[in-house]
Amino acid sequence: MSIKILHRSQFTTTSWAGGTTTELMIYPEGSNYKALNFDFRLSIATVNVEKSVFTSLPGISRTLMVLDGNLELTHEGHHTSKLTKFKSDNFQGDWITTSFGRATDFNLMTTPGTQGTLKGVQLAPKACLRLKLQKNTIIVCYVLYGALQMEEKGAGSVEGGSLLWMEDLDSNNQMPIIRALTNTEVVIANINLTTQ
């Protein structure tokens, strides 16, 4: 099992027309968002305007989860979703998508051959996360606030604003033990690369 901890200082934040976006992780390392040559990308965005139209991203599948605030996503010719905290919506990047409301959201983008899910979890002190790390999967835990401790030699703690990245290199179907050190909120991204 390969483990990495990425801290807030390692993330890149840029501005867009409606707020800011922070790239948390792009895979494989060295991929480029603008070139759309990644398998998956994780980011957080702030939406500071009441109405915005999403950038068209042909060939990209998207999952958007609200972390704070409320959003309504309207996908022209498809569906509309009203999102509150930890609620998510799946849609295609080439759909005409308009958002209404101000919020902070968590974004997962995948390209063909990669699939993923997002889940928001609230943990009490000493509560455990039960995750199954299988072959060709990557699990990313982004700590919104609080702290996690991984019971793996030398892993260290993961504080608010940081993320824990686990990848199974040995196909042992491992179940790492991750414990909350205090009241903690975390977003879990489970990425499956097996369809490549």
Side-chain angles (χ1 to χ4, degrees), residues 69-81:
N70 299 279
L71 280 182
E72 179 176 310
L73 299 184
T74 299
H75 310 291
E76 187 175 311
H78 298 279
H79 67 271
T80 295
S81 293

Side-chain angles (χ1 to χ4, degrees), residues 26-27 33 36-42 57-63 90-93 107-118 189-193 195-196:
I26 193 164
Y27 184 93
Y33 166 63
L36 301 181
N37 61 356
F38 53 85
D39 290 338
F40 72 90
R41 178 182 187 261
L42 296 173
L57 298 170
I60 303 295
S61 294
R62 302 189 61 178
T63 302
N90 302 305
F91 56 99
Q92 296 304 307
N107 295 273
L108 166 64
M109 297 182 183
T110 59
T111 52
T114 303
Q115 297 176 337
T117 60
L118 296 178
N190 196 318
I191 314 297
N192 187 332
L193 305 171
T195 55
Q196 293 183 338

Side-chain angles (χ1 to χ4, degrees), residues 26-178:
I26 193 164
Y27 184 93
E29 292 183 81
S31 302
N32 183 277
Y33 166 63
K34 290 186 178 179
L36 301 181
N37 61 356
F38 53 85
D39 290 338
F40 72 90
R41 178 182 187 261
L42 296 173
S43 63
I44 289 179
T46 60
V47 182
N48 298 327
V49 294
E50 193 60 36
K51 179 182 177 181
S52 63
V53 178
F54 285 15
T55 301
S56 179
L57 298 170
I60 303 295
S61 294
R62 302 189 61 178
T63 302
L64 184 147
M65 172 187 284
V66 165
L67 302 178
D68 183 51
N70 299 279
L71 280 182
E72 179 176 310
L73 299 184
T74 299
H75 310 291
E76 187 175 311
H78 298 279
H79 67 271
T80 295
S81 293
K82 294 184 178 180
L83 305 178
T84 55
K85 185 169 183 171
F86 288 161
K87 300 298 181 184
S88 61
D89 186 26
N90 302 305
F91 56 99
Q92 296 304 307
D94 59 355
W95 292 359
I96 300 173
T97 297
T98 304
S99 73
F100 300 90
R102 300 169 191 261
T104 301
D105 57 59
F106 194 96
N107 295 273
L108 166 64
M109 297 182 183
T110 59
T111 52
T114 303
Q115 297 176 337
T117 60
L118 296 178
K119 181 180 180 181
V121 178
Q122 296 176 319
L123 298 169
K126 299 183 180 179
C128 285
L129 274 179
R130 302 187 183 279
L131 305 171
K132 187 172 184 181
L133 190 59
Q134 299 174 308
K135 184 178 181 181
N136 296 319
T137 63
I138 294 173
I139 295 178
V140 177
C141 298
Y142 178 77
V143 180
L144 297 173
Y145 72 79
L148 297 177
Q149 176 71 51
M150 187 168 187
E151 295 184 11
E152 184 80 16
K153 187 176 180 181
S157 62
V158 187
E159 308 292 333
S162 300
L163 67 78
L164 172 67
W165 165 14
M166 298 169 286
E167 183 174 6
D168 186 2
L169 302 177
D170 305 314
S171 68
N172 291 330
N173 291 342
Q174 300 183 55
M175 296 187 72
I177 300 173
I178 303 171

